[in-house]
Structure formats: structure tokens, C-alpha cells
Amino acid sequence: MDSSRNTIWSAMQSKGYNRRDFLQFCTMAAVIAGIEQSALGSVVEAFEKVERPPIVWLHFQECTCCSESFIRASHPIVADILLDAVSLNYTETLQAASGFQAEKCLQDTIKKYPGKYILMVEGAIPTADGGVYCMIGGRTAEQILQECAKDAGTIIAWGSCASNGCVQAAKPNPTGATPVHKLVSQPVINVPGCPPIADVMAAVVTHLLVHGRAPELDSLGRPREFYGRRVHDTCYRRPNYDAGLFVESFDDENARKGYCLYKMGCRGPITYNACSVVKWNEGTSYPIQSGHGCIGCSEEGFWDNGPFYQHLRSFPGFGIESTADTVGATLGLVTLAGAGVHAAVTNIRKQKLIAEIHAEDAESNHQKES
Amino acid sequence: MSRIVVDPVTRVEGHLRVEAVVEGGRIVDAFSSGMMVRGLEKILIGRDPRDAWAIVGRVCGVCTSCHSLTSVRAVEDALGIVIPRTAELIRNLMECTIQIHDHVVHFYHLHALDWVDVVSVLKADPARTAAIAQSISTYPKSSAAYFSEVQQRIKKFVDSGQLGIFANGYWGHPQFKLPPEVNLLGVAHYLEALEWQKEIVKVHTIFGGKNPHPNYLVGGVPCSINVDEVNAINTERLNYVGSLISQAEEFINQVYIPDVLAIAGFYKDWASIGGGLPNYLSYGDMPTRGYAHPEYFKFPRGVVLNRDLSTVHPVNAKDKQEIKEYIAHSWYNYQEGNDAGMHPFDGETSLHYTGPKPPFETLAESEKYSFIKTPRWQDQPMEVGPLARLVVGYAAGNTDIREVVNDALGRLNVPKEALFSTLGRTAARALDAKLAVHYMREFFGQLLDQVKANETSTFNPEKWNPSTWPAEAEGVGLTEAPRGALAHYIKIKDGRIANYQLVVPTTWNGSPRDGRGQHSAFEASLIGSPVANLEQPLEIIRTLHSFDPCLACSVH
Amino acid sequence: MSATSLPNANSAPAGYQRVYVWELPVRIFHWINALCIVVLCATGYIVGAPMRMFYAAEAYQQYWFGTVRFLHFLAAFTFTFNLAFRFYWGFVGNEYCRWTRFIPLKRWQQKEIVEVLKADVLQTKLHGPISTGHNSLAATIYIGLFAACAVQIVTGFALYSSMSLGLLPRAFTHVVALFGSEFPIRFLHHLMMWFFLLFIIVHVYLSFYHDYIEGRGTVSSIIGGWKFEKRKHD
Ligand code: HEM
Ligand code: HEM
Ligand code: NFV
Ligand code: SF4
Ligand code: SF4
Ligand code: F3S
Ligand SMILES: [Mg+2]
């Protein structure tokens, strides 16, 4: 093995750790990753042999909050990831080189590490009108994505933009914004959220490095580890929900007691994310803890399910506030009224109808008898 | 005559492309292009105005929360909602937070590599770096051992052959002028800032539940205060904010400001490069007696023309003659035609790409070359940003602003004119952060006073229900975002958004020229700049970075 | 004096014969189903729009909202199995409850739909005999109802799948993937409640109405099983 290549072991040596520290680190990593003790040997080996895995991080239709979130990671901190764990070879947001020198970083990586580099995508890809709504270096986002995806070892879609289209894909989706998994043929690890939680992002990367394979994914391509439960399932306000104790208006008596935000539109019951457990920014808080309902930012199409202040979307085609209930109740009343009118009319025609029916019956009985 | 194409311009938010025409080692013309659009202004139409803050929040995750704040201001302006004082203080604290965070991340992680040569760090003497560090600041992490550890780390990193984000940088360029020891200081603080920045944003997390993209609320803020309750903003939460402010004070005053001044000392030639436009616009911000009273804002509102600091021109963003957006060189159509200027209340966002079919080599020959619209104040181009904020405040005689600006000019021993430059812009940003953290402490004290007086209401429910709204309303939200003057215009009809237009700092600065050929700030400041090596356009990105471009913002 | 000359309703039955249309299993199904749907609508509505209740007590002292949800799920399971039973019975029960009776593929059924529509909406007189079991219009509406039940079961169990490790709910997890998220599923599930409420109004009203205009014990048939049919002329 080329000794100049940096492995995690050599990176640790250089930071003054000894072999015992290193083994301890491997054990910890293995425990975190849930590997049995017997398999520990292979982890040690993996860290000793693997050169820092090259990463290409593409930016398309995005607000860069996924990158911003990523640098908020606290365990591990992002400096350690960037300097010791991976080799982030291309990312427009942070890299030193610009212009063709930057593009060279990209080309070098995909040529040198076919099948090995990790492709991370932040942002959606506009597909309308030939893809002109996002172009880098004179090429469209889609052209760049296809080129980079072709030989990627693993593909990660960061955030709701890359995993489900997010805000630019909200109606009427003027630029044809499309998530990554709809454009590439390989499997994609979707890490939705607007943005995803920093430590979840760091953990997905760590998972890949430690295991050398993708975390277990659900039917929407999301790591079960972080998207297997609803925000609601582990929300600390859940006892209030079950007890029927709800905030009725922002900053009311109940809000000040931390009651459940369901009636303020909380989407926690239909949102799969780790917010209520991992929480945000080193476990400091999460939307609900700070008094606002979950808007479901990790779910496909959450923008088109507003207003955010009722727990179900408004009924399409009616006023902003019309819920399924207002529409339904109106129809119900109309129906009741209809039945009432119908009954009244029937009643007026009663004499005539009964007379006619009896006349018929009488006649048929008469016929039988005669 | 030769042409340089820089695309992607990196270490900015989003997709910026710049083409520069160079003659005799100087830029004679420049074209700034925003290359990505999402059409959010169209997506907003027909939605609930109370949801808008969340949608426009996603315009940008770098200046995260600015658009949300501006949006709730616009809606409140339209509906005549006045928020409680406690809510105003919390919003101010959150705004200061992003101001500080954004500036620090910009300086260390987006801008520093234009001034600091990472590779030369290996040649530094850590003991001398320690001496320098101790001479300019009392920041505790300043021992020779500390700097030597950082140096070792960089050495191993460079030795690994995998240079990651530092690969193909312009290392060794003649424009790098710092001694290795100061470079080492810069790199150490690059890492230090990376760790610190994740702390200060916790103010957003505490009041807004997350960062990036904390929660806002029309009518106030979503969090409730109750010091007798664990489930609300209580003493522990407030203490947490207090200690984050202390950390921020230390970082800004003991790391950021000294670093900027130290580095600026070596680059005084850049105090006469990249000045660009002579006009500065600031909407003013940090209300202390309500958003409706700009006369009590911490940062004053106004325009300075031709660098004439004796006059501040008043600004009325609602005046249909004052602010207009043009599309002469932008990929849009207006119903009234290409030459029309639209006040944002009547603004249109109708995409119409007419550039070359990708893949292409150059855009400069095309008539239209950007997705950024071109805003003008009384038909004049304006620079916006921290520099404009300070220039307007300075001209308006604001004592806080005068004090920090004069102090910095004195320490660098440069005249006032030095402000109007690439270096001036970068220094102004640092001073802006210094003011922000100072105000943060003040606002925090006032918040505690509110709590003490038991005046803790954080939400005004009066106009929450759309049935209380007029059939039609329009409003403007104005904010001084980290990158400058930000305006959101909303029209509400029958409880829904009828029109929504954003005119964003980088829209002002990064836009293409207007129909009369007047350049906007990026282009104007590049023209005249030297370029030593056509293959390594370090000077171009230096000046661009001094604006802290945000392309997702500029186009949205 | 012959009975036929009496001008009131009680004097008519001489021309009718009793027919056993709804077997006991069908009647039991009907009432369990009706009960479940009423409970599901009521509890579902509360789940969607909980009322202010017991705000004086602390969370650990009560569980009423959880109980409402529990009732919803209890009714949901009963409802599902009950319906599954009826599905089976539609293949083995008597001629009146067979699936063939529900689906209006035959010409006479289609004609009867038109006939009944006229009688119901225009309030014309019924001409000629209509089916002794469901009339063809009712049967067609029941098909719609069964479809609605299926939608409710699919969407309901899809929502329930995230709260359960049970095999049945777990089988519906892929429905979420099909819709992309639970947002539209929950919305649809909620919306469908209103279909049921409208159905109940119309169905109950028409039961009495037909009982009245046909005069052959429609309402009591779903309790006792018997209807009346005009004797065939020999
Ligand atoms: C006639 C049949 C049914 C009706 C009318 C009905 C109605 C409703 C309504 C109105 C809601 C509230 C939705 C909201 O506003 O969020 C609801 C929730 C729900 N229903 Fe049903 N439902 C029916 C059958 C079922 C079935 C068969 C299941 C299967 C398990 C089911 C499972 C659920 C679940 C899991 C929820 C969400 C409850 C929660 O998260 O607390 N429902 N239902
Ligand atoms: C939630 C409430 C109800 C539902 C969902 C419902 C549903 C149904 C269904 C599916 C059938 C067809 C039965 C079969 O073939 O198995 C039926 C028949 C019937 N139901 Fe109901 N039912 C409801 C309530 C009632 C009530 C309250 C009455 C009494 C007034 C009633 C009276 C009848 C009658 C008389 C029939 C036989 C109709 C015929 O001859 O076509 N139902 N109902
Ligand atoms: N330009 C801009 Fe922003 C800022 N500051 C917003 O208003 O960065 Ni994304
Ligand atoms: S997912 Fe959300 S946070 Fe991430 S880039 Fe998209 S809009 Fe920004
Ligand atoms: S606040 Fe939201 S997530 Fe938490 S219990 Fe209530 S509804 Fe569920
Ligand atoms: S809004 Fe997003 S951040 Fe979490 S609590 Fe909801 S998924
Ligand atoms: Mg705009």
C-alpha cells in the first residue's frame, strides 16, 4: 500500500494517538454502528487500509442549507470529518479553487476513482426547457449529474430538495425540479429534511465509512436508523396529545405549559424524522420544543399541504381556510335539507300515491279472487 | 484582449458565473450571471400569507431566517399587526445571531482562502505565530504548542496527497502577501471558527427550534416564555442564550476583529481596488420601538450618493417611483416589454431563457446573460451590504457606527476613502458583526427586563384568523440581511397571496447592467481591477467575495 | 264486504307473500357494520378536530384522546373483519345477497336503476315490480360503499402501519411509498369520512322512503329478514 496515502489509522497516529487509542476508537465506532465484538477485527482492518474516501458534493437547485447544516455537526465535528475521515474533493461552497481549476478537481476524482467515490447531491435538478434553469460551467445540472452518477460508488441525496424536490418542486414547479432518484438508475440514499439534522448527516457518512456499505433503507430509500419513526412517536409532548391537552392559540395558557401542538397544525403524526430524539444543533431543541408545530419538512410534497396551521391541508379549489370538514359539513347539510324537502314533497303527494297504490292492489286482489 | 470565464465561482452560495474582459493586465468589462432559478415568486402565489415565511425561508440557508423575518414583517405590514415588544426583542436576538454567524463563516470559510495561503503554513514558526497572536488578542488558544499542533495537522493532511477542498487552489500566487506565521494563524482560526459557528446558531435553535431554517410566526414568535415551566423558554434557556452571547463576544472581539485587522495590515493596496459604485443603500434595521418606527432603528435607513457623506437621502420602498426592477439583460419577459421597470408591488416573474443552448463557452455575447433581475433606486445602481449599512449610518451621524469605523480606520492608519474598496467591504463586515454582538447583549438585557416585569407575551392573536383580514391588502417587509438591503413585497387578496416579490441584497449587487448600460456593484467593482495571471483569477474572486455573494438569494 | 274494498293500507297485504331475503349473517353484518361506521366517523372526527376537554387536569391524569383513538382502531379492526366476512358471504349466501346482485351488468338491472331513479327523484310511481332484495340502484350504491370501505381500510391501515408491529397493518406499509408520504393518505382518509356521513343520511332516508312507497316492510327486513312480495298471478 502506498504509504503516503492517509488511512484513518495514520491520521490518528499523526494526531498523537497510539495503537491502544486506535483500537479503542474502533471498538467505539463498532459499538456505535452496532457491530458485534467478533466482527471487530474487520473494522480495525477497514480503518487501517482505507484511504480517505473521495467525495464529490454537487450543488443544484438548493438554498445550501444542507451544507450549512452539515457544518453544524457536533459529533464528529466537521473539521475532523473533512481533515481525517474523508476527502471532500469537490464542493462549490467550500473548495478553494474556482472556475476550470474547480472543474478539474471534479474530473480528476471521477476519473481516478471510478466506482469508488461517494456522490453527494444537494438540491433538485431542473428538467424543464432543456435544463437551462441551473447551469454550471456552461453545462446543465442534469448533464453534470449524469456524468458524475455513472461511476459513483454510492449516491447520497442530501435534504428534501435532492430526495423529493422540496420547495422548487412545489406547485406549479416552474422549472421542472426533480429529485435525484428519478434521474439515475442506481439506488440512492435519501436523507430528507429541510435541511436534515447535522448529526444525522454526519452519522450517515460515518455509517458508510465504518461499514463500507449503505445503512438499511426503507421503501422510500431513507435510512431506517433515522427515518423509521415519526416525530410524533417520540415527541416529549406526546403525553399531552394522548391526554387531549392542546395548545389552542400561540402563546396561550396551554402553549406556556407546553401542551401538544396538534391543533396548531403539527405534522409530527405524519412525519418521519429523528428531530424529537436526536434534536437539532447538538441536542439543543427542535421545532416543537420551541413552540411551533412540525411542518413535515422531511416529507415529499409537504409544501403543497398547507396551510401549516391546520393539521390537514386546505381543501383544493375553495378558500384558504376550507378544510375537508367545512366542505363535508356543507355537503352534509345540503343533503339533509334535500332529504327534508324530499320528505315534504312526498308527504304532499301522499294521499294521491297511497290511493293509486291501493287501487292497484285492490284491482290485482280482485282479479285473483274472481 | 482576452476573456476570463470563472464558472463556478466557488466559496459563494450558489451558482455565480463571471466573465471578465482583460486588457493590459486590467479588467475592462465584466459580466455577472446568476445561473440558477427556482421560481419561488410564482410558487408563492395562491398560498396562505401565514405560510410564506417558511417558503421564502428556503430562498437561502446561508442567510437563513432573514427571509422569514422579512416575510412576517411584510405580512404584518399589510395586515396592520403590531407584535409585542418581547417578540421584537427575540426577533432582534435571532437577527443578530445570523448577522454574526454569516459574517464569521463568510470571512473564515468563504473569503479567507483569498488572503491566506494554506500551503505556506508549513513554513511557519509556530512560536512566532504565538507571539503575534498574543500581541493582537487575549484569546486563550494562542500557545506555540497549539499552533504547532495545527501545523502538524495540516502537514499530515498535505502529505497525504489528498488535498480535498484545498486542491488546485491558487497557492503561491504573487498576490498572497501574508508571512507564513500569519497564514498559520488564519488556518488555525479557520478550524476554530468552524467549531464556534455551530454554537452561536443555538440561539436560533432555542427560540426557533432549529438551525438552519428556524421557525417564525406572523404576529410574533412561536416560542412562549414561562419561567415557572420546564416546557417553555425558562431560566435555563435564557441562561443558555446568555452564555452563547458571551462566547460570541469573545470570538468576535478576540478572534475575528483582530484577525481582520491583522490581515488587512498586509493588504492595504486592496484599499484602493474594487471600490465600484459610489452609491450606497441601507433600509436600516434592529427596531427598538416597533418596525413602524425606523427613526428608532439601531441601523439608520437611507441612501448615500456619490460617496457624499454629508447627505443621507430618505428611502421609501413603497414609492412606485423609487424602486424598480429591470430585465433588459435578464432572462425574463415583462408584459410591458423588455425596457419597462416594474415596482415590486406589480412585479412579474415570467421566465424566458434566451441564452445559448448548453453546453456553451460564453454568455457575454448574448443580450441577456443572467437570471438576476436588475433593481434600481431612482434609476441608479446601489451597492448594498455591511459597507452600505455603515456608510449610511456614518453619514447619518450614528454614534455607535462612527465609533467602530473611526477606531478601525485609526488602527489601520488609513483614510475614510479606504472604506470604498474590496478591503473596506471585508473590514466593514467585521465591524458589522462587532456591532451586532454588542446590540445582542443589549437586547438580551432588555429581554430579561421584560421577563422580570412579567411582560412575556410573544404573540398578538388579533389578526391571526384570515376572516379578520381585509379583502385586499399590501405590505412591505424591509430588513438589513447580512448581505444588505432586503425587501419583500406582498399583495394579499381574499386571504391568499396575490403577488409576492423579493428584491434581495445580491439582486442589487450581482445583477447585470441595466438598459442604460449602468453596471451593478459586482461588475462595477471588477472593472479596473488588476489581474496578474489569467490562469489564476485570484483578484476577481477576492473582490467578488468581498460582497459575500449569495446566488440563491439573488434569483430565488 | 271484501277486504279489497277497504281504502286503507292495512287492508292490502292479502295480495302479498312473505319472502326471507336477509339471512341472519347478513343482518348481523349490517348492524355491526352500521355501528362500526358510526363509531369510526365519530372517533375519526374527534381525532381530526379534538374538542377542548379536561384542561384542568394534568397529562398523566388522563388519556381520553388516546382512548378515542383506541376506539377508532378497535372499531377499525371489527369493521374490517366484518366486511371480509360479508365478502365471503356474497359467494355462499342466498340469492339476494350475492355479488351478482350488486353489480348492474344485466339489462334489467340497468332499466331498474332508471326506474328507481325516476321514482326517487321525480317521485313518479313505480311501474311494475322491482327486485325483492336490493333494488338495483341501491345495490349499485352499496358497491360504491364497499369501494369506499376498501379505501378507508387501505388508507387507515397505511396510517396505522407506523404505529403497529402487527402483520396486518405492516402489510400496508408499501401504500405509503406509493403515495410518497402520509400527507395525502391522511387527507384522503379524512375526506372519505364525509362520504360515509352523506351515505348514512341518504341511505337511512331512502330506506324509510322506499318502505313507504313500496309498502312491503323494507325497514323491518333488515331486522327480521322478511320482506313482502306480490303474489305471482297463477
Ligand atoms: C368508515 C371508516 C372510517 C372512517 C370514517 C374513518 C375516519 C377517520 C378520520 C376522520 C380520521 C381523522 C383523520 C385526521 O383528521 O387526521 C381517522 C384517523 C385514523 N384512522 Fe380512520 N376511519 C375509518 C376507518 C379506519 C380503518 C379501517 C382504519 C384501520 C386501522 C383506520 C385507521 C385510522 C388511523 C390509524 C387514523 C390516524 C389516527 C391517529 O393518528 O391518531 N380508520 N379516521
Ligand atoms: C352506518 C349506517 C349504515 C350502513 C353503512 C348501512 C349499510 C348497508 C348496506 C351495505 C346494506 C346492504 C346489506 C347487504 O346486502 O349486506 C344495507 C341494507 C339495508 N340497510 Fe343499511 N346501513 C346503515 C344503517 C341503516 C339503518 C339505520 C337502517 C334503518 C333504518 C338501515 C336499513 C337498511 C335496510 C332496510 C337495508 C336493506 C335495503 C335493501 O333492501 O336494499 N341501514 N345497509
Ligand atoms: N443576498 C442575500 Fe441573503 C443575505 N444576506 C438575503 O436576503 O444570503 Ni443567502
Ligand atoms: S432541502 Fe431545504 S434546506 Fe436543503 S437545500 Fe433544499 S430547501 Fe435548503
Ligand atoms: S406536538 Fe406534534 S409531534 Fe408532538 S405530540 Fe403533539 S402532534 Fe405529536
Ligand atoms: S418540520 Fe422538520 S425539522 Fe423536524 S420537527 Fe418537523 S421534521
Ligand atoms: Mg425577485
Side-chain angles (χ1 to χ4, degrees):
Chain A
M1 195 180 120
D2 181 353
S3 62
S4 75
R5 290 274 174 269
N6 209 347
T7 65
I8 290 176
W9 166 221
S10 63
M12 286 187 72
Q13 272 176 312
S14 70
K15 286 173 74 183
Y17 292 101
N18 60 29
R19 181 78 189 170
R20 223 186 76 222
D21 295 332
F22 173 61
L23 289 177
Q24 221 165 36
F25 170 76
C26 292
T27 317
M28 255 168 56
V31 169
I32 293 166
I35 301 174
E36 289 167 43
Q37 278 290 315
S38 60
L40 187 60
S42 62
V43 175
V44 178
E45 215 173 298
F47 280 176
E48 271 177 329
K49 279 198 190 132
V50 176
E51 140 183 76
R52 298 202 327 280
I55 291 182
V56 166
W57 185 314
L58 298 178
H59 298 261
F60 297 133
Q61 281 184 305
E62 57 165 28
C63 75
T64 312
C65 73
C66 298
S67 291
E68 283 282 349
S69 188
F70 187 68
I71 65 171
R72 318 278 200 265
S74 57
H75 43 271
I77 64 163
V78 79
D80 290 351
I81 300 178
L82 294 189
L83 292 179
D84 305 332
V86 301
S87 183
L88 184 52
N89 291 356
Y90 184 86
T91 170
E92 288 150 45
T93 313
L94 291 174
Q95 76 187 116
S98 270
F100 69 88
Q101 285 96 343
E103 297 195 302
K104 185 168 180 309
C105 296
L106 178 65
Q107 293 302 330
D108 288 351
T109 308
I110 63 181
K111 298 267 146 57
K112 187 164 169 204
Y113 302 98
K116 291 214 182 85
Y117 60 91
I118 305 174
L119 175 63
M120 299 179 176
V121 184
E122 178 176 357
I125 298 92
T127 54
D129 303 320
V132 297
Y133 298 122
C134 179
M135 295 186 286
I136 302 154
R139 295 194 300 156
T140 66
E142 193 175 355
Q143 287 163 348
I144 296 167
L145 174 70
Q146 297 301 0
E147 180 185 26
C148 295
K150 196 158 57 72
D151 288 328
T154 309
I155 303 180
I156 299 181
W158 285 137
S160 292
C161 291
S163 355
N164 59 45
C166 202
V167 67
Q168 47 271 316
K171 287 177 190 122
N173 193 350
T175 60
T178 310
V180 177
H181 68 88
K182 292 204 177 142
L183 296 172
V184 302
S185 46
Q186 300 102 305
V188 175
I189 304 175
N190 286 325
V191 187
C194 187
I197 302 170
D199 289 313
V200 164
M201 298 176 80
V204 169
V205 175
T206 318
H207 196 127
L208 274 174
L209 301 187
V210 172
H211 289 273
R213 63 175 163 77
E216 198 194 330
L217 306 179
D218 69 7
S219 50
L220 292 169
R222 306 173 295 196
R224 273 188 206 290
E225 191 177 359
F226 301 109
Y227 297 90
R229 290 185 194 282
R230 300 172 304 162
V231 170
H232 183 62
D233 293 328
T234 48
C235 176
Y236 80 109
R237 298 197 182 199
R238 181 63 184 268
N240 293 303
Y241 172 86
D242 288 328
L245 298 176
F246 301 107
V247 174
E248 300 283 346
S249 162
F250 282 104
D251 201 35
D252 69 358
E253 203 47 32
N254 293 358
R256 294 178 182 197
K257 286 192 273 188
Y259 284 178
C260 169
L261 290 160
Y262 184 63
K263 288 175 86 171
M264 303 317 293
C266 184
R267 304 297 211 271
I270 33 178
T271 300
Y272 290 79
N273 206 342
C275 305
S276 42
V277 183
V278 177
K279 300 202 190 168
W280 283 80
N281 310 97
E282 209 166 5
T284 302
S285 184
Y286 68 112
I288 293 160
Q289 187 175 342
S290 296
H292 197 286
C294 167
I295 63 171
C297 76
S298 55
E299 293 293 324
E300 179 175 318
F302 73 101
W303 296 110
D304 289 329
N305 282 276
F308 295 133
Y309 301 99
Q310 53 196 38
H311 86 281
L312 289 179
R313 56 168 301 171
S314 66
F315 194 82
F318 291 76
I320 208 82
E321 273 194 297
S322 71
T323 60
D325 287 347
T326 42
V327 174
T330 314
L331 282 176
L333 287 177
V334 169
T335 316
L336 266 181
V341 171
H342 193 274
V345 175
T346 309
N347 214 38
I348 295 165
R349 290 176 51 111
K350 179 171 160 178
Q351 302 302 332
K352 201 183 157 208
L353 270 170
I354 287 183
E356 282 175 9
I357 289 169
H358 279 273
E360 271 177 23
D361 288 347
E363 186 171 325
S364 71
N365 284 348
H366 182 74
Q367 278 171 2
K368 262 170 266 162
E369 272 157 24
S370 57
Chain B
M1 200 173 86
S2 42
R3 162 170 292 132
I4 307 178
V5 177
V6 190
D7 183 8
V9 176
T10 58
R11 282 180 283 125
V12 302
E13 193 297 328
H15 304 291
L16 173 62
R17 172 187 179 100
V18 164
E19 297 189 17
V21 183
V22 180
E23 224 176 69
R26 293 214 170 253
I27 296 175
V28 293
D29 200 3
F31 300 82
S32 154
S33 306
M35 299 303 294
M36 187 276 278
V37 58
R38 292 165 290 168
L40 298 183
E41 288 169 335
K42 299 186 90 158
I43 289 169
L44 279 153
I45 290 174
R47 292 172 193 263
D48 189 328
R50 295 170 303 173
D51 286 359
W53 69 262
I55 298 165
V56 297
R58 271 63 183 184
V59 164
C60 184
V62 175
C63 63
T64 185
S65 81
C66 289
H67 291 280
S68 298
L69 171 64
T70 314
S71 176
V72 294
R73 282 179 175 173
V75 177
E76 288 156 5
D77 182 49
L79 300 174
I81 300 172
V82 177
I83 64 165
R85 170 148 172 81
T86 304
E88 176 174 288
L89 288 167
I90 290 174
R91 284 186 183 177
N92 283 353
L93 284 170
M94 291 177 71
E95 197 184 358
C96 290
T97 299
I98 187 59
Q99 217 76 277
I100 299 168
H101 176 273
D102 207 343
H103 289 354
V104 166
V105 169
H106 173 262
F107 179 69
Y108 287 101
H109 307 119
L110 306 184
H111 202 10
L113 299 181
D114 302 336
W115 313 101
V116 173
D117 185 337
V118 175
V119 175
S120 99
V121 161
L122 305 180
K123 291 188 280 215
D125 171 3
R128 284 187 50 205
T129 304
I132 295 169
Q134 286 158 15
S135 74
I136 60 174
S137 152
T138 59
Y139 193 61
K141 284 190 176 172
S142 62
S143 67
Y146 165 73
F147 288 114
S148 146
E149 198 186 305
V150 173
Q151 190 184 38
Q152 282 309 307
R153 202 167 179 193
I154 298 302
K155 183 171 179 338
K156 281 291 163 192
F157 183 79
V158 172
D159 287 349
S160 77
Q162 289 182 289
L163 281 182
I165 56 172
F166 302 117
N168 295 343
Y170 308 130
W171 317 127
H173 190 286
Q175 272 291 357
F176 282 118
K177 295 199 176 136
L178 298 181
E181 284 71 24
V182 179
N183 282 325
L184 176 54
L185 183 73
V187 170
H189 289 170
Y190 181 107
L191 299 174
E192 210 64 53
L194 203 50
E195 263 198 73
W196 170 80
Q197 56 84 28
K198 73 185 198 317
E199 299 303 315
I200 184 64
V201 296
K202 289 175 182 168
V203 175
H204 280 187
T205 320
I206 289 167
F207 293 124
K210 67 195 273 219
N211 173 283
H213 297 331
N215 293 308
Y216 272 77
L217 188 67
V218 167
V221 290
C223 57
S224 287
I225 298 177
N226 185 350
V227 290
D228 299 314
E229 174 62 59
V230 71
N231 282 316
I233 301 296
N234 55 19
T235 320
E236 179 270 336
R237 298 272 98 177
L238 292 170
N239 286 346
Y240 203 161
V241 173
S243 78
L244 291 168
I245 296 174
S246 302
Q247 275 181 43
E249 283 168 336
E250 180 182 42
F251 197 88
I252 301 301
N253 292 319
Q254 299 305 329
V255 182
Y256 183 24
I257 297 284
D259 281 0
V260 169
L261 292 178
I263 292 173
F266 291 92
Y267 285 105
K268 285 193 190 169
D269 49 334
W270 281 82
S272 53
I273 299 173
L277 298 177
N279 307 327
Y280 301 87
L281 162 71
S282 166
Y283 291 141
D285 208 336
M286 301 296 170
T288 59
R289 301 195 199 173
Y291 171 70
H293 296 283
E295 63 276 23
Y296 298 113
F297 286 7
K298 289 287 187 194
F299 291 92
R301 177 176 294 174
V303 159
V304 165
L305 290 176
N306 294 316
R307 297 187 182 152
D308 170 11
L309 297 182
S310 66
T311 317
V312 177
H313 302 266
V315 171
N316 178 3
K318 287 186 182 172
D319 183 336
K320 299 218 168 171
Q321 293 314 311
E322 283 195 24
I323 291 173
K324 286 183 193 160
E325 281 194 309
Y326 292 89
I327 53 155
H329 295 281
S330 320
W331 290 310
Y332 298 89
N333 278 342
Y334 276 169
Q335 273 167 14
E336 279 182 42
N338 261 345
D339 304 325
M342 306 291 287
H343 184 266
F345 269 144
D346 312 316
E348 296 168 16
T349 304
S350 154
L351 291 169
H352 185 63
Y353 179 76
T354 52
K357 190 170 179 295
F360 58 78
E361 293 297 323
T362 175
L363 276 182
E365 273 95 45
S366 357
E367 164 143 337
K368 297 194 169 199
Y369 59 92
S370 179
F371 282 115
I372 309 180
K373 292 178 191 168
T374 306
R376 292 290 180 253
W377 182 79
Q378 298 199 340
D379 282 330
Q380 310 212 51
M382 294 284 139
E383 172 172 341
V384 301
L387 176 59
R389 204 138 61 218
L390 299 194
V391 166
V392 170
Y394 198 98
N398 178 295
T399 43
D400 291 347
I401 291 173
R402 283 197 167 225
E403 197 184 308
V404 292
V405 170
N406 288 336
D407 174 66
L409 292 173
R411 286 213 245 166
L412 284 172
N413 191 23
V414 291
K416 247 183 290 187
E417 287 64 41
L419 282 171
F420 311 122
S421 67
T422 295
L423 191 67
R425 233 171 257 126
T426 298
R429 185 168 296 106
L431 301 179
D432 192 49
K434 187 183 167 77
L435 286 166
V437 77
H438 175 73
Y439 292 141
M440 210 172 172
R441 175 61 73 195
E442 186 178 320
F443 295 140
F444 182 62
Q446 290 167 354
L447 178 63
L448 293 184
D449 290 343
Q450 292 286 113
V451 176
K452 210 188 279 173
N454 213 10
E455 283 169 11
T456 55
S457 162
T458 54
F459 174 64
N460 172 356
E462 269 166 45
K463 299 269 181 63
W464 177 249
N465 198 319
S467 61
T468 61
W469 302 350
E472 285 187 44
E474 55 183 35
V476 181
L478 301 175
T479 297
E480 277 297 308
R483 288 160 192 75
L486 169 63
H488 287 197
Y489 291 79
I490 191 172
K491 275 197 173 177
I492 301 172
K493 195 160 183 269
D494 301 327
R496 292 166 184 268
I497 297 172
N499 200 9
Y500 200 111
Q501 291 280 318
L502 304 89
V503 186
V504 185
T506 306
T507 319
W508 286 97
N509 290 340
S511 37
R513 60 209 68 195
D514 59 28
R516 293 150 62 189
Q518 300 184 101
H519 295 282
S520 298
F522 286 5
E523 293 179 356
S525 60
L526 286 175
I527 293 169
S529 166
V531 177
N533 175 354
L534 294 181
E535 296 291 294
Q536 295 197 331
L538 179 62
E539 297 90 343
I540 293 182
I541 60 170
R542 217 175 239 182
T543 290
L544 285 173
H545 283 158
S546 74
F547 287 95
D548 189 2
C550 176
L551 276 288
C553 271
S554 70
V555 182
H556 39 269
Chain C
M1 198 172 89
S2 84
T4 56
S5 62
L6 287 176
N8 75 56
N10 294 334
S11 63
Y16 289 80
Q17 66 190 18
R18 266 162 66 104
V19 186
Y20 190 56
V21 279
W22 311 126
E23 300 152 288
L24 186 62
V26 172
R27 284 175 282 146
I28 293 181
F29 155 77
H30 177 270
W31 290 110
I32 292 181
N33 190 44
L35 181 70
C36 283
I37 289 181
V38 169
V39 171
L40 284 165
C41 287
T43 52
Y45 183 82
I46 296 172
V47 167
M51 52 286 235
R52 302 167 188 234
M53 255 164 74
F54 310 126
Y55 280 3
E58 285 283 351
Y60 58 84
Q61 293 168 304
Q62 54 182 328
Y63 192 76
W64 77 261
F65 194 63
T67 308
V68 169
R69 293 177 58 245
F70 173 75
L71 287 176
H72 192 77
F73 306 144
L74 189 70
F77 275 87
T78 316
F79 169 76
T80 305
F81 289 119
N82 189 47
L83 221 74
F85 166 78
R86 180 64 180 82
F87 183 73
Y88 161 77
W89 198 257
F91 296 103
V92 301
N94 69 15
E95 56 165 314
Y96 301 106
C97 71
R98 294 273 171 148
W99 288 112
T100 46
R101 278 300 181 91
F102 285 97
I103 307 162
L105 294 176
K106 305 204 180 73
R107 268 206 68 75
W108 69 265
Q109 287 174 311
Q110 290 155 11
K111 267 168 83 181
E112 189 175 284
I113 291 180
V114 177
E115 192 66 10
V116 177
L117 266 176
K118 279 200 217 150
D120 288 2
V121 180
L122 306 175
Q123 301 201 324
T124 60
K125 205 175 66 182
L126 277 170
H127 293 288
I130 60 166
S131 310
T132 306
H134 316 292
N135 72 56
S136 297
L137 178 65
T140 311
I141 296 176
Y142 297 147
I143 280 292
L145 179 79
F146 287 125
C149 292
V151 171
Q152 253 352 36
I153 289 170
V154 170
T155 53
F157 276 106
L159 292 175
Y160 194 68
S161 65
S162 56
M163 323 173 192
S164 168
L165 296 175
L167 273 181
L168 177 62
R170 278 273 142 207
F172 288 84
T173 32
H174 62 276
V175 176
V176 181
L178 214 67
F179 278 85
S181 82
E182 283 182 18
F183 283 60
I185 301 180
R186 200 166 168 118
F187 185 66
L188 180 59
H189 189 74
H190 188 112
L191 204 60
M192 288 300 289
M193 171 186 72
W194 289 100
F195 172 85
F196 287 90
L197 289 172
L198 295 186
F199 171 85
I200 294 174
I201 297 171
V202 173
H203 171 72
V204 174
Y205 175 72
L206 284 183
S207 297
F208 282 93
Y209 175 72
H210 274 266
D211 189 304
Y212 173 58
I213 62 163
E214 292 177 35
R216 48 190 196 149
T218 309
V219 171
S220 74
S221 75
I222 199 66
I223 301 168
W226 296 88
K227 269 195 187 178
F228 298 95
E229 196 177 54
K230 281 180 187 165
R231 278 212 185 85
K232 308 245 161 46
H233 305 279
D234 10 6

